[in-house]
Amino acid sequence: MDLALGIDFGTSGARAAVLDSDYQVVEEVRCAYPSTQADELAEGWRKTLFALLNQLSLEWRRRVGAIAIDATSSTVLLCDTQGQPLTAPLLYNDARGRSLVPQVAQVAPSGHTVCSSTSSLVKLLWWQQTLPPEVWSQARFLLHQADWLGFLLHGQLGLSDYHNALKLGYDVGSLRYPDWLLNLEFSHLLPEVREPGDAIAPLSPDIAAHYGFPSQCQVCAGTTDSIAAFLASGASQPGDAATSLGSTLVLKLLSTTRVDDSHYGVYSHRLGDLWLVGGASNTGGAVLRQFFSGEELTQLSTQIDPDRASSLDYYPLLQPGERFPVNDPDLPPRLTPSADSPVAFLHGLLESMARIEHQGYRLLEDLGASPVQQVYTAGGGAQNPTWTAIRQRLLQRPVSTARYPEAAIGSAHLALQKLRGTTS
């Protein structure tokens, strides 16, 4: 059992990576979600999880000693006593509970990360106030996406990690739920919180036998997709930053100082003795894919001069609403004026997203985080050299591709650390 398996559930699909004891990748597989319909999401995640396990080579499965899962932050499910979802999941960017933010702000400390229209706590309050009583009365567990997927593997309900639980209100400084949260009438739904990477339980015997995993293979507490991407990037020192250019734009900065400010959508995760300060914008690759195919993005990017600034000032969003560096649930997309060619339009989009990234890091520094020294890049956008050059021009810091581009490798790092700790 010298291998570790990391599984990443992102916004458009899932990936799995197997690492050996030297942190070298021995296998990677991926799988698209079978459906994006809201009422089919959870079942689609379930099918995808086991499809990934099935794709892995039996040779490697037999040697996996630990598994960790990451998934999108603040994507939550409300489950019954058997772990079955009672309603469709609410995704990371779901802001339907925005009108309830003032109620949360009345009990939470000023500026707390839960005081956001997309926080896990706001979503839980929205469910409480909108679900039919006969459905709400069946609720026993509020689980994040990674929590629920882990449950499917180990069978233990009501467990989370303190990366996912941050937006639920968990205090990562004192490592406990604060009293103001425990005093809420639905606090019995809150999951027990573990340190990311902690072993929770062995893989279910039926699953281990069916897929050929060792019976002692441990399923570990998970993390969020953006933190997993950070762990895979190679960033390790204060001032190291990681930008994930996936469907959305996620910024993480390793800092000696903790920074939390919900007004700007900024929050800090605990990472050892340091703090991972960051925020997530709704701009990103999903907007690019609305207008261009992958082939078009590659071809048109080669025709852009990254040293020349675009005159187009866009705020590219798929729909109204932004989280960071502007926290405005009603912020409208800005995609005018029209460009005179597809090349100019793409140039304007890439430059505008780079400006949002620059604005985000500048905001983190202004709020007290360690100054940015270098930026690692993960996600699909990391493969675009033109975009990288534009970003480096605006950031005025070294920009390089992450050591490993896939968040699944970051989750595998978590699992491998646990494996090494139990076998050393």
Side-chain angles (χ1 to χ4, degrees):
M1 298 200 305
D2 58 333
L3 303 180
L5 171 61
I7 302 175
D8 162 54
F9 272 69
T11 55
S12 58
R15 300 170 178 83
V18 179
L19 294 187
D20 65 18
S21 57
D22 294 323
Y23 291 89
Q24 298 301 307
V25 180
V26 299
E27 185 175 27
E28 293 182 83
V29 297
R30 62 186 61 208
C31 185
Y33 298 140
S35 174
T36 57
Q37 296 296 318
D39 60 350
E40 298 176 352
L41 277 178
E43 182 58 28
W45 295 340
R46 185 199 304 265
K47 290 178 179 178
T48 300
L49 174 63
F50 292 109
L52 285 173
L53 297 185
N54 196 53
Q55 286 183 51
L56 293 169
S57 301
L58 182 58
E59 173 188 2
W60 306 130
R61 278 185 253 163
R62 288 172 172 162
R63 294 168 52 187
V64 170
I67 302 172
I69 300 176
D70 74 79
T72 51
S73 173
S74 200
T75 293
V76 291
L77 303 93
L78 194 64
C79 300
D80 64 15
T81 56
Q82 302 302 310
Q84 293 301 310
L86 293 169
T87 185
L90 296 183
L91 299 181
Y92 64 97
N93 60 349
D94 194 308
R96 69 185 70 187
R98 69 185 65 176
S99 64
L100 303 177
V101 172
Q103 292 186 41
V104 173
Q106 288 179 359
V107 295
S110 176
H112 198 286
T113 188
V114 297
C115 300
S116 164
S117 60
T118 59
S119 77
S120 302
L121 186 60
V122 166
K123 289 168 182 166
L124 180 55
L125 181 61
W126 184 85
W127 267 325
Q128 183 203 33
Q129 298 195 8
T130 61
L131 285 179
E134 63 271 18
V135 176
W136 175 255
S137 65
Q138 299 177 56
R140 292 296 179 271
F141 303 100
L142 185 283
L143 298 177
H144 302 90
Q145 184 182 20
D147 309 337
W148 187 71
L149 292 165
F151 151 71
L152 295 181
L153 295 184
H154 56 60
Q156 306 296 311
L157 273 168
L159 297 172
S160 187
D161 63 88
Y162 61 60
H163 288 161
N164 274 292
L166 179 74
K167 294 181 182 178
L168 187 55
Y170 187 78
D171 187 340
V172 294
S174 61
L175 297 179
R176 62 180 297 270
Y177 283 117
D179 290 341
W180 63 264
L181 184 55
L182 293 175
N183 289 334
L184 298 179
E185 60 179 303
F186 49 67
S187 64
H188 62 284
L189 302 176
L190 303 178
E192 178 186 335
V193 178
R194 303 282 187 85
E195 181 178 357
D198 268 4
I200 291 179
L203 194 63
S204 165
D206 289 345
I207 294 174
H210 181 80
Y211 293 97
F213 288 94
S215 59
Q216 306 96 328
C217 177
Q218 293 288 318
V219 182
C220 304
T223 184
T224 67
D225 55 345
S226 59
I227 293 183
F230 186 89
L231 295 173
S233 71
S236 61
Q237 302 298 318
D240 285 354
T243 298
S244 179
L245 299 174
S247 297
T248 58
L249 176 70
V250 181
L251 276 55
K252 298 289 184 186
L253 173 60
L254 199 57
S255 172
T256 57
T257 305
R258 179 180 179 179
V259 177
D260 295 286
D261 194 322
S262 64
H263 178 72
Y264 293 105
V266 173
Y267 51 91
S268 293
H269 283 284
R270 188 181 191 124
L271 203 63
D273 295 329
L274 298 173
W275 296 96
L276 197 53
V277 183
S281 169
N282 289 334
T283 195
V287 181
L288 296 177
R289 288 194 297 271
Q290 185 182 35
F291 299 104
F292 302 103
S293 67
E295 183 177 352
E296 288 171 333
L297 285 171
T298 299
Q299 292 178 347
L300 296 176
S301 293
T302 63
Q303 302 175 50
I304 295 172
D305 179 1
D307 296 324
R308 181 178 61 84
S310 169
S311 60
L312 299 171
D313 183 14
Y314 296 145
Y315 207 107
L317 298 170
L318 287 178
Q319 59 191 18
E322 177 61 306
R323 300 175 287 169
F324 168 86
V326 177
N327 192 7
D328 181 355
D330 300 311
L331 185 72
R334 188 173 71 247
L335 294 168
T336 56
S338 300
D340 56 12
S341 72
V343 173
F345 182 47
L346 178 59
H347 190 181
L349 290 175
L350 297 180
E351 183 110 6
S352 297
M353 291 180 187
R355 278 196 293 266
I356 293 170
E357 179 187 14
H358 179 226
Q359 181 183 352
Y361 281 126
R362 187 173 56 192
L363 174 61
L364 297 183
E365 293 180 7
D366 289 345
L367 292 173
S370 297
V372 176
Q373 301 299 320
Q374 59 182 332
V375 178
Y376 295 88
T377 311
Q383 309 308 313
N384 189 319
T386 300
W387 200 1
T388 298
I390 291 172
R391 294 170 51 234
Q392 185 161 277
R393 168 168 53 82
L394 291 177
L395 290 169
Q396 297 186 350
R397 297 290 187 277
V399 176
S400 59
T401 302
R403 180 186 179 192
Y404 293 114
E406 300 291 355
I409 297 174
S411 287
H413 272 233
L414 273 182
L416 185 57
Q417 288 167 10
K418 177 59 187 176
L419 186 60
R420 294 183 115 187
T422 57
T423 58
S424 59

Coordinates of all heavy atoms in Angstrom, one line a residue, residues 136-172:
W136 N -38.1 19.2 5.3 CA -37.1 19.8 6.3 C -37.0 18.9 7.5 O -35.9 18.7 8.1 CB -37.5 21.2 6.7 CG -36.6 21.8 7.7 CD1 -36.9 22.0 9.1 CD2 -35.2 22.2 7.6 NE1 -35.9 22.5 9.7 CE2 -34.8 22.7 8.9 CE3 -34.4 22.3 6.5 CZ2 -33.5 23.2 9.1 CZ3 -33.1 22.8 6.8 CH2 -32.7 23.2 8.0
S137 N -38.1 18.3 8.0 CA -38.1 17.5 9.2 C -37.3 16.2 9.0 O -36.9 15.6 10.0 CB -39.5 17.1 9.6 OG -40.1 16.3 8.6
Q138 N -37.0 15.8 7.8 CA -36.2 14.6 7.5 C -34.7 14.9 7.5 O -33.9 14.0 7.4 CB -36.6 14.0 6.2 CG -38.0 13.5 6.1 CD -38.3 13.0 4.7 OE1 -37.7 12.1 4.2 NE2 -39.3 13.6 4.0
A139 N -34.3 16.2 7.5 CA -32.9 16.6 7.4 C -32.2 16.2 8.6 O -32.6 16.4 9.8 CB -32.8 18.1 7.2
R140 N -31.0 15.5 8.4 CA -30.2 15.1 9.5 C -28.7 15.6 9.4 O -28.0 15.7 10.4 CB -30.2 13.6 9.7 CG -31.5 13.0 10.1 CD -31.8 13.5 11.6 NE -33.1 12.9 12.0 CZ -34.3 13.5 11.8 NH1 -34.3 14.7 11.1 NH2 -35.4 13.0 12.2
F141 N -28.3 15.8 8.1 CA -26.9 16.2 7.9 C -26.8 17.3 6.8 O -27.4 17.1 5.7 CB -26.1 15.0 7.5 CG -26.1 13.9 8.5 CD1 -26.9 12.8 8.3 CD2 -25.3 13.9 9.6 CE1 -26.9 11.7 9.2 CE2 -25.3 12.9 10.5 CZ -26.1 11.8 10.3
L142 N -26.1 18.3 7.1 CA -25.6 19.2 6.0 C -24.2 18.8 5.6 O -23.3 18.8 6.4 CB -25.6 20.7 6.6 CG -25.3 21.8 5.6 CD1 -23.8 22.0 5.3 CD2 -26.1 21.8 4.3
L143 N -24.1 18.4 4.4 CA -22.8 17.9 3.9 C -22.3 18.7 2.7 O -23.1 19.1 1.9 CB -22.9 16.4 3.5 CG -23.2 15.4 4.6 CD1 -23.3 14.0 4.0 CD2 -22.2 15.5 5.7
H144 N -21.0 18.9 2.6 CA -20.4 19.5 1.4 C -20.2 18.4 0.4 O -20.3 17.2 0.7 CB -19.1 20.2 1.8 CG -19.2 21.3 2.8 ND1 -19.1 21.0 4.2 CD2 -19.5 22.6 2.7 CE1 -19.3 22.1 4.9 NE2 -19.6 23.1 4.0
Q145 N -20.0 18.9 -0.8 CA -19.9 17.9 -1.9 C -18.8 16.9 -1.6 O -19.0 15.6 -1.8 CB -19.6 18.6 -3.2 CG -19.5 17.7 -4.4 CD -19.1 18.5 -5.7 OE1 -18.5 19.6 -5.6 NE2 -19.4 17.9 -6.8
A146 N -17.6 17.3 -1.1 CA -16.5 16.4 -0.8 C -16.9 15.5 0.4 O -16.5 14.3 0.4 CB -15.3 17.2 -0.5
D147 N -17.7 16.0 1.3 CA -18.1 15.2 2.5 C -19.0 14.0 2.0 O -18.8 12.9 2.4 CB -18.9 16.0 3.5 CG -18.2 17.3 3.9 OD1 -17.0 17.4 3.8 OD2 -19.0 18.2 4.4
W148 N -19.9 14.3 1.1 CA -20.9 13.3 0.7 C -20.2 12.3 -0.2 O -20.5 11.1 -0.1 CB -22.0 14.0 -0.1 CG -23.1 13.1 -0.5 CD1 -24.1 12.6 0.4 CD2 -23.4 12.6 -1.8 NE1 -24.9 11.8 -0.4 CE2 -24.6 11.8 -1.7 CE3 -22.9 12.8 -3.0 CZ2 -25.1 11.2 -2.8 CZ3 -23.4 12.2 -4.1 CH2 -24.5 11.4 -4.0
L149 N -19.3 12.7 -1.0 CA -18.6 11.8 -1.9 C -17.7 10.8 -1.0 O -17.6 9.7 -1.3 CB -17.7 12.5 -2.9 CG -18.5 13.3 -4.0 CD1 -17.6 14.3 -4.7 CD2 -19.1 12.3 -5.0
G150 N -17.1 11.4 0.0 CA -16.3 10.6 0.9 C -17.2 9.6 1.6 O -16.8 8.4 1.8
F151 N -18.4 10.0 2.0 CA -19.3 9.1 2.7 C -19.7 7.9 1.8 O -19.8 6.8 2.2 CB -20.6 9.8 3.0 CG -21.9 9.0 3.0 CD1 -22.1 8.1 4.0 CD2 -22.8 9.2 2.0 CE1 -23.2 7.3 4.0 CE2 -24.0 8.4 2.0 CZ -24.2 7.4 3.0
L152 N -19.8 8.2 0.5 CA -20.1 7.1 -0.5 C -19.0 6.0 -0.5 O -19.2 4.8 -0.8 CB -20.2 7.6 -1.9 CG -21.4 8.6 -2.1 CD1 -21.4 9.0 -3.6 CD2 -22.7 7.9 -1.7
L153 N -17.8 6.4 -0.1 CA -16.6 5.5 0.0 C -16.5 4.8 1.3 O -16.1 3.6 1.4 CB -15.3 6.2 -0.4 CG -15.2 6.7 -1.8 CD1 -13.9 7.3 -2.1 CD2 -15.5 5.6 -2.9
H154 N -16.6 5.5 2.4 CA -16.4 4.9 3.7 C -17.6 4.7 4.6 O -17.6 4.0 5.6 CB -15.4 5.8 4.6 CG -15.8 7.2 4.7 ND1 -17.0 7.6 5.4 CD2 -15.2 8.4 4.4 CE1 -17.1 8.9 5.4 NE2 -16.0 9.4 4.8
G155 N -18.8 5.3 4.2 CA -20.0 5.0 4.9 C -20.3 5.7 6.2 O -21.3 5.5 6.8
Q156 N -19.4 6.6 6.6 CA -19.5 7.4 7.8 C -20.2 8.7 7.5 O -19.7 9.5 6.7 CB -18.2 7.6 8.5 CG -17.4 6.4 8.7 CD -18.0 5.4 9.7 OE1 -18.5 5.8 10.8 NE2 -18.2 4.2 9.3
L157 N -21.3 9.0 8.1 CA -22.1 10.2 7.9 C -21.7 11.3 8.9 O -21.3 11.1 10.0 CB -23.6 9.9 7.9 CG -24.2 9.4 6.6 CD1 -25.6 8.9 6.9 CD2 -24.3 10.6 5.6
G158 N -22.0 12.6 8.4 CA -21.8 13.7 9.3 C -20.4 14.2 9.5 O -20.1 14.7 10.6
L159 N -19.5 14.0 8.6 CA -18.1 14.3 8.8 C -17.6 15.3 7.7 O -18.0 15.1 6.5 CB -17.2 13.1 8.7 CG -17.4 12.1 9.9 CD1 -16.6 10.8 9.6 CD2 -17.1 12.7 11.2
S160 N -16.8 16.3 8.0 CA -16.3 17.2 7.1 C -14.9 17.5 7.4 O -14.3 16.9 8.3 CB -17.2 18.5 7.1 OG -16.8 19.4 6.1
D161 N -14.3 18.5 6.8 CA -13.0 19.0 7.0 C -13.0 20.5 7.2 O -14.0 21.1 6.8 CB -12.0 18.6 5.9 CG -12.4 19.3 4.6 OD1 -12.0 20.5 4.4 OD2 -13.2 18.7 3.8
Y162 N -12.0 21.1 7.8 CA -12.1 22.5 8.1 C -11.8 23.4 7.0 O -12.0 24.6 7.1 CB -11.3 22.9 9.4 CG -9.8 22.7 9.4 CD1 -8.9 23.3 8.4 CD2 -9.2 21.9 10.4 CE1 -7.5 23.1 8.5 CE2 -7.8 21.8 10.5 CZ -7.0 22.4 9.5 OH -5.6 22.2 9.6
H163 N -11.4 22.9 5.8 CA -11.4 23.7 4.6 C -12.8 23.9 4.1 O -13.2 25.0 3.8 CB -10.5 23.1 3.6 CG -9.0 23.1 3.9 ND1 -8.1 22.3 3.3 CD2 -8.3 23.9 4.8 CE1 -6.9 22.6 3.8 NE2 -7.0 23.6 4.7
N164 N -13.5 22.8 3.9 CA -14.9 22.9 3.4 C -15.8 23.6 4.4 O -16.7 24.3 4.1 CB -15.4 21.5 3.1 CG -15.1 21.1 1.7 OD1 -15.5 21.6 0.7 ND2 -14.2 20.1 1.6
A165 N -15.5 23.4 5.7 CA -16.5 23.9 6.8 C -16.3 25.4 7.0 O -17.1 26.0 7.8 CB -16.3 23.1 8.1
L166 N -15.3 26.0 6.4 CA -15.0 27.4 6.7 C -16.2 28.3 6.4 O -16.6 29.2 7.2 CB -13.8 27.9 5.9 CG -13.4 29.4 6.0 CD1 -12.8 29.7 7.4 CD2 -12.5 29.9 4.9
K167 N -16.8 28.1 5.2 CA -18.0 28.9 4.8 C -19.3 28.5 5.4 O -20.3 29.0 5.2 CB -18.1 28.9 3.3 CG -16.9 29.5 2.6 CD -17.1 29.5 1.1 CE -15.9 30.1 0.4 NZ -16.0 30.1 -1.1
L168 N -19.2 27.5 6.3 CA -20.3 27.1 7.1 C -20.3 27.8 8.5 O -21.2 27.8 9.2 CB -20.3 25.6 7.3 CG -21.5 24.9 8.0 CD1 -22.8 25.3 7.3 CD2 -21.3 23.4 8.1
G169 N -19.1 28.4 8.8 CA -18.9 29.2 10.0 C -17.9 28.6 11.0 O -17.7 29.1 12.1
Y170 N -17.3 27.5 10.6 CA -16.3 26.8 11.5 C -15.2 27.8 11.8 O -14.7 28.4 10.8 CB -15.9 25.5 10.9 CG -15.0 24.7 11.8 CD1 -15.5 23.9 12.8 CD2 -13.6 24.7 11.6 CE1 -14.7 23.1 13.6 CE2 -12.8 23.9 12.4 CZ -13.3 23.1 13.4 OH -12.5 22.4 14.2
D171 N -14.7 27.9 13.0 CA -13.6 28.7 13.4 C -12.3 28.0 13.2 O -11.9 27.1 14.0 CB -13.8 29.2 14.8 CG -12.7 30.3 15.2 OD1 -11.7 30.4 14.6 OD2 -13.0 31.0 16.2
V172 N -11.6 28.3 12.1 CA -10.3 27.6 11.8 C -9.2 28.1 12.7 O -8.1 27.5 12.7 CB -9.9 27.7 10.3 CG1 -10.9 27.0 9.5 CG2 -9.8 29.2 9.9

